[in-house]
Amino acid sequence: MADPNLEAPPNYASPEFEIIHEGLRCRYHEDDQQATEHLLTTWQADRTNRITTWNAQKKVEARAAEEANQACRLQEEEEELLANEEAERKQREVEKKKPKMNTFTPGLLVADVLIHPPSQYALQKLSMFNYVEMWYFSLAGCLDAAKHHDRSHADNTFGISKVDDHLTVRSIASIRASCHALPDRELPFSEFVKAKNCFLEHTKKANWPVTNLDALTKIFWFLETHPTLQLPLGEKIILTYALCVCHDWHQELKVG
C-alpha cells in the first residue's frame, strides 16, 4: 500500500472524466466546474480516510518494531548479565584455587617456644568428630608426627579412606595412624593430663561447639580431681574409665 500522503489529486477536468461529468450534469444538473469540484471533494474525503488508516497502521508497525527492539535489547542485556555472572563465577573459582597467604601482623612477636603440632591423622579425626587416642596430643605423639609420620610423605601423596560408607581420596598423612600410638590406658597419667590440654586446644581450632568444649573441659577436670586417684591403682582406673567412655563421647557428639 502506497503512502496516501504523497498522492496528488487527479485532473478531473481532463477528457477521461467526461463521462463522469455527463452523469453529474444529468443527475445533479451540475456544470463542468461543479462536477470537477464534486469529484475533487470526494477524492479528498477518501484520501483523508486512507491517510487516517495509513497513519494508524504505521503507528501499530512502529510500536511493534519498538517492542521487538526492546525485547531484543532486554535479551542482549540478560545475555550480557549472565555472561558477566558466569565470568565472575569462574573468576571466583580461580581465586579459590589460588594459594592463600596471611599477612604479617605489625608488632607481633614470635613465640618463645615452638610446639610441634599433632599429626594430620589426629587433626583429621578431630575435624570429623571421631575418636582419636590421646597419645597423638602428647609430646611423644607430636614429636613422632614431626620425625616419622608427616614428613615421610609428600604433600601430593593420596590414599583412599572410608567415611560413612563412602570412599574418599585424602592425603596419606591424614589417614595413616602411627605405629607408635598408645591406647589411653597405657599412657602415664601425667602425660594424659598434659595431652588433654593439647587435645582441647585443637578441638577449639577444629571449630567444635563452645558448649561441647566446656563440657569436655569439666569432664577432664573431674577426672584429674576424682578421689579414685588416691587409690593404689587409681590412675589406671581413671585412664581405663576415660578410654571406655571416650568412644561414647564422640558417638554422642557426632550429628546423625
Side-chain angles (χ1 to χ4, degrees):
M1 180 180 179
D3 185 357
N5 291 284
L6 304 178
E7 292 181 3
N11 183 9
Y12 289 111
S14 62
E16 56 263 30
F17 292 101
E18 177 60 29
I19 190 171
I20 299 177
H21 283 221
E22 182 65 26
L24 292 174
R25 283 195 296 269
C26 295
R27 177 72 175 176
Y28 298 105
H29 307 289
E30 295 179 350
D31 57 23
D32 288 340
Q33 180 64 31
Q34 290 174 327
T36 299
E37 292 177 354
H38 189 159
L39 291 173
L40 184 59
T41 300
T42 302
W43 176 85
Q44 288 175 338
D46 177 67
R47 177 174 177 269
T48 299
N49 291 334
R50 288 186 291 111
I51 288 175
T52 301
T53 302
W54 170 271
N55 291 338
Q57 179 63 30
K58 287 303 176 182
K59 287 182 179 179
V60 171
E61 293 176 357
R63 189 181 305 113
E66 177 59 27
E67 290 176 353
N69 290 335
Q70 184 176 5
C72 184
R73 288 195 300 270
L74 291 176
Q75 183 177 356
E76 291 176 352
E77 291 174 359
E78 183 177 358
E79 291 175 353
E80 182 179 0
L81 178 61
L82 292 175
N84 291 338
E85 290 178 350
E86 179 65 14
E88 291 176 0
R89 185 191 66 79
K90 290 182 178 179
Q91 183 61 32
R92 288 194 298 270
E93 291 297 325
V94 171
E95 292 297 329
K96 286 181 181 179
K97 294 178 181 179
K98 288 183 178 180
K100 300 295 188 298
M101 176 182 287
N102 292 328
T103 57
F104 288 107
T105 302
L108 182 65
L109 299 178
V110 178
D112 295 334
V113 179
L114 298 179
I115 305 299
H116 292 293
S119 67
Q120 287 298 314
Y121 168 80
L123 298 179
Q124 179 67 25
K125 287 283 188 178
L126 283 188
S127 68
M128 299 297 295
F129 309 117
N130 289 326
Y131 167 76
V132 60
E133 291 83 356
M134 199 63 70
W135 175 87
Y136 285 98
F137 302 93
S138 68
L139 178 60
C142 293
L143 290 176
D144 177 77
K147 293 179 181 179
H148 306 294
H149 192 61
D150 292 341
R151 291 184 181 177
S152 64
H153 302 285
D155 291 340
N156 59 350
T157 303
F158 295 90
I160 297 176
S161 65
K162 185 177 181 181
V163 179
D164 297 332
D165 296 328
H166 297 285
L167 295 179
T168 60
V169 178
R170 292 181 177 171
S171 168
I172 286 290
S174 68
I175 63 175
R176 178 171 294 179
S178 172
C179 61
H180 301 106
L182 297 176
D184 291 350
R185 64 174 176 270
E186 295 184 14
L187 279 179
F189 189 76
S190 60
E191 291 298 319
F192 178 86
V193 172
K194 294 176 183 177
K196 62 88 178 172
N197 294 329
C198 180
F199 171 82
L200 290 174
E201 177 184 353
H202 285 283
T203 52
K204 183 178 180 180
K205 292 180 179 180
N207 295 321
W208 282 34
V210 175
T211 53
N212 292 358
L213 294 176
D214 291 341
L216 288 174
T217 301
K218 290 180 180 179
I219 290 173
F220 283 122
W221 183 83
F222 286 134
L223 293 177
E224 290 182 59
T225 59
H226 199 275
T228 302
L229 292 173
Q230 305 302 320
L231 299 176
L233 296 177
E235 292 183 354
K236 184 65 69 175
I237 293 172
I238 292 296
L239 290 174
T240 302
Y241 170 81
L243 176 63
C244 291
V245 300
C246 201
H247 290 281
D248 291 335
W249 295 351
H250 290 277
Q251 285 299 115
E252 292 296 328
L253 292 174
K254 290 188 69 174
V255 177

